[in-house]
Amino acid sequence: MPAEDSVEDSLEELDDFSDSGSDFEATVKSTKRTKPAVPGPPPPKRPRRKAALTAMSSPSTSPIPASPDPSLLQQPSRGTNRQASHRPVNEEDPGISAVDIYDAVCSGKTAMVTVVDEWLDCYKRSRETGLLVLINFIVRSCGCKGVVSREMFDSMQNAQIIGTLTKEFNEESVNYPLCTPGPLLKRFKASLCEFARVLVHSCRNSLVYDEYLFPSLMALLTGLSDSQVRAFRHTSTLLAMKLMTGLAKVAMIVSVQLQTTQRQYDMENSKEAHDRASDRLEELQATISELLENRAELVSMMNGTFRGVFVHRYRDLLPEIRAACIEELGVWLRTNPEDFLNDGCLKYLGWTLYDKQSPVRLQCVHALQGLYQEKEFIGRLEFFTSRFKERMLSMVLDKNPDVAVEVVNLLLLIQMNTEEGLSEEECAHIYPLVYAAHRGLACAAGSFLYKKLKCVIVEDNQENGKSDNAEFLQILISFYIQSEFHEHGAYLVDSLWSVAGSELRDWEAMTTLLLQDSGEEQGLMYEEEGALIDLMMCAMRQAAQATPPVGRTQGKKILSKKAKRPDTRRITTHFIPLLPQLLAKYSADAVKVSLLLKAPLYFDLQMYNSSPRLEKYLDLLLSQICDIVAKHTDVTVLEASAHLASTFRSDYYTFSSRAHLAFSQLLDGLTESLNTYLSDVLQGTADDDDVYNAANTLKRIAVLRSAKDSTGWRLFYSCMELLKSRMESRELDKELMVSALKCAALHLMWAKVNAVNATPAEAELKRLKKEVRSFCSVSQTCLSLNQPDIRDQAFELLCDLLLLYSANSARSETALNVLIHLPSDSLRSEMASFLMDFIFSDTEETELNVEGEEEMKITLLQKRRNHLAGYCKLVIYGVLDLTAATDVFKHYSKFFSDYGDIIKETLSRSKLINPVQSAKTVCLSLQQLYSEMLLEDPSRQDHSEIRELAKRLAMSFGINLHRVRKPLMALHMDGVSFAFREPQDGEKQHQNVAFLEILSEFSFKLLQPDRAQLAAFLKTKCPSAALSWRPVKMYQRSLETRSSSKPREQEGSDAVSSHETPVAKRKRTTAQGEMDTCSVSSSVRGSWLDSSSINGGLHTPALTSTVQKQPARQPASRKPQDTESDVGSVLNEPESEDEFSSGYQMRKVKATQRRQPVSHQTGSTSNQQDLNSNFDLLSLIEENNEEREEAEIEDYRSDSDSESGYTLPSTRHSLASALDELFE
């Protein structure tokens, strides 16, 4: 036989092997054991020496036979026809028992070497007794209470033993040791695997080759691995795989010893005849023969286990079994490449890349990583790489982030270790992942990008000898620009931080590139300068704060102040002298200046006072900021300048007086300039240039006043006169009026802060209240203007000021009660109209959809959410009555996708304030909707929209029915009274009776005593003739029983349960999933109303979950079914890989068909007696499923392709940032 036609080739031909003539058949399908009549000496071992010498005599033949000798397969030592030992049996205590081994494995505290040594002593005294102890330990490890007796062991075949144990597998729980939740699972599995490893290691020199222990053990494990009982199948497969891993390592050791001995033999044989030692040659030849025999024995056992267990179980229905098989296959490929590293074994890894379950795919990727790390394996992986590279590239978007992370690491190994690597088109699949929200995936993609860029730099530097860091920054800038995600620089920097931290901290290289002229050889272009400034600011933030970007927090450790300080000092030392130069160079560019103005926020500002030389740079910086404010009107630049001014003016710094003086002089100049334009504007003699200059000056002042108390400049009355004159003349200049509104509102806000800090005289307080009343009057007029910017600004400022001057804000200071200002009825009505016309309206959104401006639509929605949150806070903090929330609640269902979280939070807070009044408000909102419907169409009978709203509102009452008794009673009574109220002008008699249909949606929350009380109340309100009307009957039926809640409970239970999931597990999973959902939704949505530019006095209440947790139903017929057998066992296994891919869908569709025979077996005594015969019909080796093993990979698709995809996070409007910045 040629060398290449070894067992490796036999493994490649696994697609069309049959069980006939295989090791596996010989171990399972032999005749019935018979007891020996007379004990005698043990049978002699088969003569292997001659066969080994024959194989060794031909150098061209492989030492590993392609298949075992058929004559050897009929030996009784294969473990099926075990006979009683011919040795004298020691009737004394056999030593260690199966219970002792099991207890040692469960505890995990006993050294496995000691346990195995004790068992080996028992086995050496009597190998039948020792094997029986080991078998019972395996049975007990499966969770079965049955015991294999000596009589069963001697008289039964493996299939009969397994059938008997299956009938005794009557556990009450569906759990078994390998699936027990908690730390016990991890400890038991580790100890069990360690026991298998130590067992093979201890037997590697002797008992592995005794032709009894391991063949018998493998035969039993193979039969158990084909059982329908999941516990048997899972435990035996894991043990078989671990034992085969040990055998593979032993086979590799034997191969190394064989090669070494062969070299020694060749060297000795190559000597001259008179120098050759005949005894040495004979000894070496005998050693080679023995090693060849041992290797043949090991290969035979490995072939049998591979074909009998792995080939069937790698596609088992249980993902844990598939994962265990693939994990051990990866170990075999690495530890024994001589036998396993070939296309015949690699194909199983390729097929498993398409597995439906992420743990299996993850183990497959881990196995491939171990192979691609070894450069000597790359040549054997070429065909596999070309065949499955496309699939690996698609898995970077796997729906499980952990799998995607490992796939990116695998592709990096392929890129670095293979000759061809990945093309640029293939790398393009990985590059965008640096912007992914999952930090692990982003860092893996960043490592890939970094390695790729460094390879390009090495090639370029060989030609022109540039600086590595400068070259890296230029290539990174090009990538950043081409990726077209310019608002996500923080995510790119965070992805590269762990691998490219030194390059991104090279501040000298960055500033050198920025200060170079564009015309120089290595100078940057205009767009490249902006990209570098953006990345530099992101790197400074990362180095100084050590916090990840918004939405990317997994695995990120926040550094302590001591760890941050060295980076902060280096940043400060480098940028203090250079920042004024950078601001001077880019002072005309609004985008670049707004970025550079963030740099001092990451400085150690105390260093400005460390030496007089640095104080000079502080003066230069303040001068540059003032010049920038005077030069720019862009809001972003002005807000960055104001933020910096507020930071420098903090009393924490000793140089704050300098900053205060500089910005005071700046405001003096702006105020003086405004007064020169304002007189002409008020008189109507100003031209367009004067109006433009006045608007820009007022805009600068409005932004700066947010950072500095400017009440001393007395601009309030000037702004109010300007607003009144413009509205009277109908010359609505947007920039001018918006800035005037901001200036006037900020004056009132600073005045309230000053009043709290130092209570002024009563006359001053009255004047301030008069100013507040005047501003609210002007703002109310602005709400009806046809200018969206002016209208929106007025509404936002009204919400803030009404909250600031509310009764809650004056509770701590009774002297400030004079400042309490409550909105007038006309203002309340105007604000409610604003909600109806401009927030709960689809007109503007429809226009934007027609124009296709998606970004404008998002901006408009964000602005509307801001306004709605401001209005809801007025309700929550008592500025507006709870009844004002009806304008919000009645849109809960229609606008749920846009404002559902805000409205739900308002509902929750209102219940904490006044539960009864909140319930009445809910009912009132439904009454208003019903009345509006009747006004539009009195004959309308379809109430589906209002009933859908009622369902949503009913679910907001939570699951504690005793707590909501009074609110629900008040709601129902108000609803019944509304249904039968006396007709008003122009109304028909009893036209509101249909409202009872809507009210019935709240009945399932009522307790039984309240139902009886409401039924009596209904009879007092309802005329006797109306008792037969359909709405009244429907409402009465809803009060009689709680049937309306049952469909929901059943529906919710069915949604989380499946026929294949055990009852105990399903109950736990449901509860956990609901708890997770509640906690996430509560924590995220609960902060919408917490953040504001104006802090309210009401304490944030704790949120109450509204998710109903229903207990899982447990039908009586399910328990024996889940315990005794798995639905869809080996008989129903797919015959090809295509069927394997859809196995889980088949289980769900055909569950009832498979349960019927099982239920008959468990329900009938006669059928239980036939259980043994039923198992005799099971093909433990899957004879009918061997014909089509290899699948068409192209047709095998995982759901990770269609359901995955990473969306790039937004640095502006992501969920977490929006919660924090809603009112900033």
Side-chain angles (χ1 to χ4, degrees), residues 126 201 248 291 407 412 456 471 594 601 616 623 692 699 758 791 902 947 950-951 997 1057 1077 1096 1119:
S126 172
H201 183 76
L291 291 174
V407 170
L412 178 59
V456 176
E471 185 71 13
S594 63
L601 301 177
K616 174 184 66 175
S623 176
Y692 175 77
K699 187 177 183 180
R791 185 177 62 222
I902 301 176
R947 292 190 67 175
K951 290 178 183 178
E997 298 181 11
S1057 64
T1077 305
K1119 187 174 293 185

Side-chain angles (χ1 to χ4, degrees), residues 604 644 723 817:
D604 182 6
L644 205 53
L723 290 169
N817 289 335

Side-chain angles (χ1 to χ4, degrees), residues 245-269:
T245 298
L247 294 177
K249 294 179 180 178
V250 173
M252 193 61 191
I253 295 173
V254 171
S255 297
V256 173
Q257 293 174 349
L258 183 60
Q259 293 174 4
T260 304
T261 309
Q262 185 67 50
R263 284 197 303 268
Q264 295 174 352
Y265 178 85
D266 294 340
M267 289 177 60
E268 188 68 27
N269 195 32

Side-chain angles (χ1 to χ4, degrees), residues 354 387 1191-1197:
Y354 294 87
R387 178 88 179 273
E1192 290 296 328
I1193 300 302
E1194 291 76 8
D1195 296 334
Y1196 196 139
R1197 291 292 180 264

Side-chain angles (χ1 to χ4, degrees), residues 605 608-609 615 618-623 625-626 641-668 704 707-708 713:
L605 295 178
Y608 274 113
N609 293 326
E615 292 180 359
L618 175 61
D619 295 335
L620 288 175
L621 179 59
L622 294 174
S623 176
I625 295 173
C626 293
S641 302
H643 190 191
L644 205 53
S646 176
T647 303
F648 282 164
R649 290 179 59 255
S650 173
D651 295 336
Y652 180 75
Y653 304 111
T654 55
F655 56 81
S656 60
S657 58
R658 290 189 180 189
H660 181 77
L661 177 62
F663 290 114
S664 297
Q665 292 175 351
L666 176 61
L667 272 175
D668 286 340
L704 290 177
K708 178 177 173 55
W713 277 265

Side-chain angles (χ1 to χ4, degrees), residues 89 91 203 205 215 305 318 331 461 473 494 559 602 744 786 930 977 1004 1082 1102 1126 1128 1151:
V89 179
E91 297 296 338
C203 301
N205 295 324
T305 306
L318 193 65
V331 178
N461 286 352
L473 290 173
D494 184 60
L559 296 181
Y602 312 124
N786 197 23
Y930 182 81
S977 300
F1004 75 99
S1082 300
D1126 269 345

